[in-house]
Amino acid sequence: MFLIPVLFASILSIALLGVYFLTYYNTESGLEEKMTPFECGFDPLSKMRTPFSTRFFLLVVLFLIFDVEVALLFPVLSAFYSTTSTSLLLALLLFIAILLFGMFHEWNEGALDWVSG
């Protein structure tokens, strides 16, 4: 009973390693480029001190902030589902109001406008 999944996993691992070695060593063109690390969409062979878009950086930071705060809403919503209390509802509404105020402030400041100067 235990032998069949182990045998299947072993055969699949050997087959995938074989495909990797067959495709990796048979490609002569671009082998040096394939061996370079790839990180964040930047070309590792270019100059490291190229200018970086601050608008893109600000948009990424805003996305991370709102993503983390939305992830914090899930435990509150599950607690609200199990017990309905007025203080929990007020805390949830205050949290959402702060999120909306922050988003509207960033929108008013122009941080979310990608095409503006």
Side-chain angles (χ1 to χ4, degrees):
M1 195 70 151
F2 181 70
L3 185 62
I4 294 173
V6 171
L7 186 64
F8 178 73
S10 300
I11 291 171
L12 184 64
S13 299
I14 291 170
L16 288 175
L17 278 172
V19 168
Y20 168 73
F21 282 117
L22 287 175
T23 58
Y24 179 74
Y25 287 116
N26 285 340
T27 57
E28 294 296 326
S29 63
L31 189 59
E32 293 175 1
E33 189 173 335
K34 287 182 181 179
M35 293 297 293
T36 59
F38 180 77
E39 186 173 345
C40 300
F42 292 108
D43 184 18
L45 303 176
S46 66
K47 294 173 61 176
M48 296 300 287
R49 300 288 182 199
T50 56
F52 185 73
S53 172
T54 55
R55 294 191 82 53
F56 177 73
F57 179 74
L58 180 64
L59 195 67
V60 167
V61 168
L62 287 174
F63 172 75
L64 286 176
I65 289 171
F66 285 110
D67 191 40
V68 167
E69 289 177 352
V70 166
L72 290 174
L73 283 176
F74 287 116
V76 174
L77 291 175
S78 67
F80 188 72
Y81 181 72
S82 63
T83 66
T84 305
S85 69
T86 310
S87 62
L88 187 62
L89 179 64
L90 288 175
L92 179 66
L93 289 175
L94 179 68
F95 186 72
I96 291 174
I98 291 171
L99 276 178
L100 285 174
F101 177 75
M103 185 187 72
F104 288 135
H105 175 71
E106 292 297 328
W107 191 1
N108 189 30
E109 291 290 318
L112 300 178
D113 294 333
W114 186 259
V115 291
S116 68

